[in-house]
Amino acid sequence: MKQKQVIVIGAGFGGVRAALDLSKNPELSVTIIDQYPYHSVHGQLYEVATSPTELTAMPELKRSVELPLLQIFKNSPVKIVTAKVVDIKFASKTVIVDKPYSYDYLVCALGSQPNFFSIPGASEHAWHFSSGYDALKIRGEIESTIALAKNNLRKKDVQIVIAGGGVAGVEVAAELHGMLNYLSWRENYPRHKIVTTLIDRSEAMLSMFPKEVQEIAHQRLEELGVVLDTGVSIESISKHELQTSDGVKEFDVLIWAAGVRANPLPTSESVSVKKGDRVEVDAQFKLVGQPDVFVLGDQCARAEDGGVNPLPGTASQAIRQAKYVATAIKALAKNQQPPLFTCQSLPYIIPLGPKWAIFYSKRKVVKGYLGYLIRQVVWFKYYISILGFTKGIHWLLRTSELFKRND
Ligand SMILES: Cc1cc2nc3c(=O)[nH]c(=O)nc-3n(C[C@H](O)[C@H](O)[C@H](O)COP(=O)(O)OP(=O)(O)OC[C@H]3O[C@@H](n4cnc5c(N)ncnc54)[C@H](O)[C@@H]3O)c2cc1C
């Protein structure tokens, strides 16, 4: 029987899982297309940005968050194309890269990018985490700022400001602690003159979580010396100055963690999008009006069952959706009815500094070292799921060894 062609665009958390699962079906021929030859492990980017230069070499760090696709798909029949997708033509069922690729089914998982909410100056003056390269640039900026400040001790404090007190913001604020201690010692620069401030417009950090989680996070961040500036909106940004609802605030390094918006679907055809530019899909993740095209992960606006809010943009949600979409395509290829997808609220793990994390699920909140151990188990399971047992262990040990150097 002739194999059906499945193209997966985007080799992130969702795309990799979808391609691996689809490739187990001999009736499908699977091709994955990404602009990079690796899978970027976003959850570890903060570790990269907060590892001082002498302790971990740049190539070593970059490799730790960029898993080669050749390694992931080594034992599977998935074909890899490294190129940027420039157009999708739904009528002719083709994806345009360097040349057209035809599909019977298309899975889009192109992820998201920072959302600057049209705040003037934000994209020019703030650093953000989208890749290993961005994380290394942030590291370089912090190191050089403190090195320069030591030549001018009369200068006011070094101000590192993080915009956005969601999961990303609190994590980076806490992770910086170890690196700043180290840099203060290395540069012989007083630690109390390096200030980390977290700004959020809500009245609490982690405003989307229950009060119990917020209080744990507030206490932990304060123990780490992070200044919490809540109820403050950023209105505009110029070089080294924030105009806020609470007046002007100076900064030396500004890190943007205030939210993301979906990457656009690269097509000249009209696509309906919702809040955060997320693409409208039906209950089975099919692009509205295109029964052979699925969109998942950060890029899609699949609403929670019986609700209006989109499913959270997390790696675990993207993976779960990818597993479902792979099952749905396998059923469709056999002319069967796909099963229904049921939304689930998945646990969160919020790392807050060296060997410390909050694990939050609807039933349980765990904090401290135990939370960190749960996080390690989750990463271990993830690496095994895409690399196999031996390579998975190897990768976890390698990254754990690297990242503990900044603790
Ligand atoms: C710094 C950071 C830390 C995070 N930490 C966590 C965490 O601890 N836990 C958690 O659950 N979630 C975390 N997230 C969120 C999580 O990473 C995302 O929800 C998840 O990556 C979404 O998966 P995805 O498959 O939709 O997209 P992604 O994983 O972002 O993958 C998108 C892929 O599409 C490719 N691509 C984009 N445009 C094109 C194009 N035109 N042509 C070809 N390829 C293209 C990209 O190169 C990328 O490989 C974090 C995100 C960031 C940025």
Side-chain angles (χ1 to χ4, degrees), residues 7 27 69 99-100 113 141 145 153 235 247 268 291 315 319 401:
I7 295 187
E27 286 153 25
L69 296 181
K99 59 174 187 152
Q113 56 181 291
E141 183 67 12
T145 302
L153 269 180
E235 289 159 359
S268 48
I319 292 166
E401 207 285 311

Side-chain angles (χ1 to χ4, degrees), residues 38-55:
Y38 50 78
H39 162 43
S40 195
V41 186
H42 292 143
Q44 307 281 34
L45 291 180
Y46 307 120
E47 298 277 3
V48 171
T50 56
S51 295
T53 316
E54 317 63 48
L55 305 187

